[in-house]
Amino acid sequence: MSHTLPLPEFTHERVEVITGRRSGLFIAVALHSSVLGSALGGARLWTYPHWSDALGDALRLSAAMTLKNATAGLDAGGGKSVIGLEEGTVLDTERRRDAFLDLGDAVESFGGLYRTAEDVGSTMDDMAVVGERTAHVVGLPDAAGGSGEPAGPTSLGVYESLRAVLERTTGTGDVAGRRITISGLGQVGGRLAIRLSAEGAILTVTDVNPARRHLAGELGATWAEPGTEHLASSDVFVPAGIGGLLTDEVIDALDTRAVCGPANNPLAKHDGADRLASRGILYAPDFVVNAGGVIYLDNEAKQRGTREEIMGQVAQIGDTVRRILADAEERGITPLAAAEELAAERLRAGAPALAG
């Protein structure tokens, strides 16, 4: 599902838009900020109504990565790449390979200021193809000496964030008996659903891919038709698919106590955070909640600790969410505003050090 959104404010250091010389596909690489270090952000392969929608996605996602990496305490800036497909386009094996070779060339042109990784629509194997053209790629398969799949760490961070949100709204982080709606059953949403089901959560789930309905059956979850999931009464609504889901209309009809999920940029408009607050719905900012993957990938690439130690750092995302929610309540602002201020403080502190 594609959501046509307005282009965001342009605050980026550099953006490259090319037609892949092998694949003929639209490719955008957006470097939003390198203040804290070489930017890190995944490569999205997705279908868009128009190439400008793909560009807008790259701009929004790269800006969100700056916030995510800063809030996570990483020495990494924000960037993102997008391979945009026209509606109805199906890539065969050869053209898909060509697309990621083209992406590798585009990433290499940034001279190390941007590192890519897998994202929605791309895989570890795709990153191995990118790695044929540039060394500035993380999340390669274990067999290739890489750090492997980041969806597991991302899912862990979302789980710990969800527990922090439940503590704030219900008084306990125990998920047993809690009604949780998950919109999107991809690599992260699917893992989260399996864990929550095992711990006794009452799940309502959906995905734009009807083939994912089998997972609902396996978990004993209620399946909602895509576009109706927000109407299901829940303790926590988990956007885990593509961005822009929370439009004004969806927020006004949303039947939940809180929103906490891994989808990047789930708010169709920035003031959606205020709209949620006005309805008494707690919002855990996406770029805090979904930072597990980049924490894992960045620390693995820089060999900062064992995998067990890095996963322990990922689990601390829940504590970050707790601090942000407490700060927001104390100051009478939205959690989104509190999180953005936390990122801004880190960026201000990082700029002089880099300049020197």
Side-chain angles (χ1 to χ4, degrees), residues 25 42 46 81 97 104 148 212 236 240 244 261 282 288 320 324 336 342:
L25 295 174
W46 198 250
S81 47
R97 173 176 167 78
R212 298 299 289 167
V236 184
L282 186 66
V288 180
T320 303
I324 288 170
L336 177 59
L342 179 62

Side-chain angles (χ1 to χ4, degrees), residues 299-354:
N299 283 289
E300 271 276 322
K302 295 172 180 174
Q303 298 182 333
R304 293 180 173 173
T306 65
R307 288 196 177 181
E308 182 178 357
E309 291 169 339
I310 294 170
M311 290 300 281
Q313 185 177 343
V314 169
Q316 292 174 12
I317 289 175
D319 292 331
T320 303
V321 171
R322 290 180 182 92
R323 289 195 299 271
I324 288 170
L325 296 181
D327 181 48
E329 182 178 45
E330 180 180 343
R331 298 170 58 198
I333 60 177
T334 67
L336 177 59
E340 288 175 337
E341 287 186 18
L342 179 62
E345 289 172 9
R346 177 95 201 290
L347 290 164
R348 284 193 296 270
L354 237 71

